[in-house]
Amino acid sequence: MPIIESSIQRVRLNQKQHDRNEPLRSAYRTTIKRLEKAATAGEGDLEKLYREASAAIDHAYSKGLIKKNKASRQKSRLSKYVK
């Protein structure tokens, strides 16, 4: 544990940010995996799953979990499952 007060504050802040970001990141990754799994199995409503994954990617981008280019790249790569 740090001794300097500003370092203590950073540890506390990092933990809060981690606790806030972790469930969002997990949900975002889960929706993508759900789409990929359904696409490889050839079952499920891929249009609906793609919309959910796209919304999750946009939400992750808006919360600062991923960068703009990564969001665009992932949406582009996932669109091949729908075509």
Side-chain angles (χ1 to χ4, degrees), residues 19-70:
D19 292 343
R20 186 182 319 121
N21 290 337
E22 190 176 27
L24 294 173
R25 182 177 288 122
S26 175
Y28 143 74
R29 288 178 176 167
T30 302
T31 56
I32 291 173
K33 288 178 186 176
R34 194 178 301 142
L35 171 62
E36 290 174 341
K37 186 175 180 182
T40 55
E43 57 189 38
D45 186 13
L46 295 180
E47 282 284 336
K48 181 183 174 205
L49 290 172
Y50 175 73
R51 282 196 305 272
E52 289 175 2
S54 180
I57 291 170
D58 289 337
H59 187 69
Y61 166 66
S62 70
K63 294 300 179 185
L65 296 176
I66 59 175
K67 303 273 185 168
K68 186 177 183 180
N69 283 349
K70 181 172 182 176

